[in-house]
Amino acid sequence: MTVEVGQQAPDFELTAHTGEKVKLSDYKGHNVVLYFYPKDMTPGCTTEACDFRDHHESFADLDAVVLGVSPDPVESHQKFIDKHDLPFLLLADEDHKVAEDYGVWKLKKNFGKEYYGIERSTFIIDKDGNLAEDYRKVKVDGHVESALQFIRENLS
């Protein structure tokens, strides 16, 4: 299954690093930047998370909430948040159900080995819960600025 721009974004409930249960529908009335990343503490994922951190106030000014999702457990998310002072929620999708619902759980190849994992992707969801934009196979450099610009130009 994959979600397409213009469709209602699939709702979900995941546990945040705080231990609270978080539903996408909790954020109806706000723009949501839902970004999927492969693994806490890895170089690309750290750069991306820190870019979202550094632009957090700009997203908030546009009434946009940032939520990060990976298959890492809550404890790993908490360490990641603590180490990099991340001001947004990280959600644990340990069974990768939400990643599958969004079509980002993919067969990957690295150094000749095949395995399933997250394809770095970002979904911008409007205040009505519809998918306004998606970024798949994200390259980290400049990505956060592109997402911010999209919200500024289309959803504010």
Side-chain angles (χ1 to χ4, degrees):
M1 176 175 154
T2 189
V3 64
E4 294 182 13
V5 171
Q7 292 181 334
Q8 187 77 23
D11 199 9
F12 58 79
E13 180 178 274
L14 291 173
T15 304
H17 68 278
T18 58
E20 68 184 296
K21 297 285 187 187
V22 173
K23 293 180 183 176
L24 178 61
S25 55
D26 294 341
Y27 296 98
K28 207 131 197 179
H30 301 278
N31 296 311
V32 176
V33 178
L34 182 66
Y35 83 97
F36 290 85
Y37 65 99
K39 189 156 183 55
D40 292 337
M41 305 289 191
T42 57
C45 296
T46 298
T47 298
E48 183 178 30
C50 290
D51 283 352
F52 275 116
R53 176 199 65 203
D54 295 346
H55 290 84
H56 188 259
E57 283 187 33
S58 297
F59 282 107
D61 289 346
L62 297 171
D63 196 19
V65 176
V66 175
L67 300 173
V69 180
S70 87
D72 292 310
V74 168
E75 299 79 20
S76 176
H77 286 338
Q78 187 61 58
K79 289 176 186 170
F80 195 34
I81 293 238
D82 291 345
K83 182 170 184 177
H84 297 288
D85 197 26
L86 304 178
F88 47 84
L89 295 176
L90 295 180
L91 308 177
D93 186 22
E94 292 185 73
D95 64 0
H96 47 81
K97 165 97 175 67
V98 176
E100 289 179 33
D101 288 347
Y102 279 80
V104 300
W105 188 252
K106 302 279 189 173
L107 182 64
K108 299 169 90 174
K109 294 179 183 181
N110 196 13
F111 298 111
K113 296 191 183 217
E114 289 187 340
Y115 61 95
Y116 279 90
I118 297 278
E119 178 181 83
R120 190 182 310 278
S121 303
T122 299
F123 298 87
I124 298 178
I125 300 160
D126 69 18
K127 294 178 179 186
D128 295 321
N130 297 314
L131 181 61
E133 183 63 285
D134 64 349
Y135 301 89
R136 296 178 185 270
K137 297 183 182 177
V138 165
K139 302 291 183 228
V140 173
D141 287 343
H143 170 63
V144 170
E145 292 86 353
S146 295
L148 187 60
Q149 182 177 348
F150 177 85
I151 294 170
R152 189 178 287 123
E153 292 176 359
N154 297 281
L155 300 179
S156 62

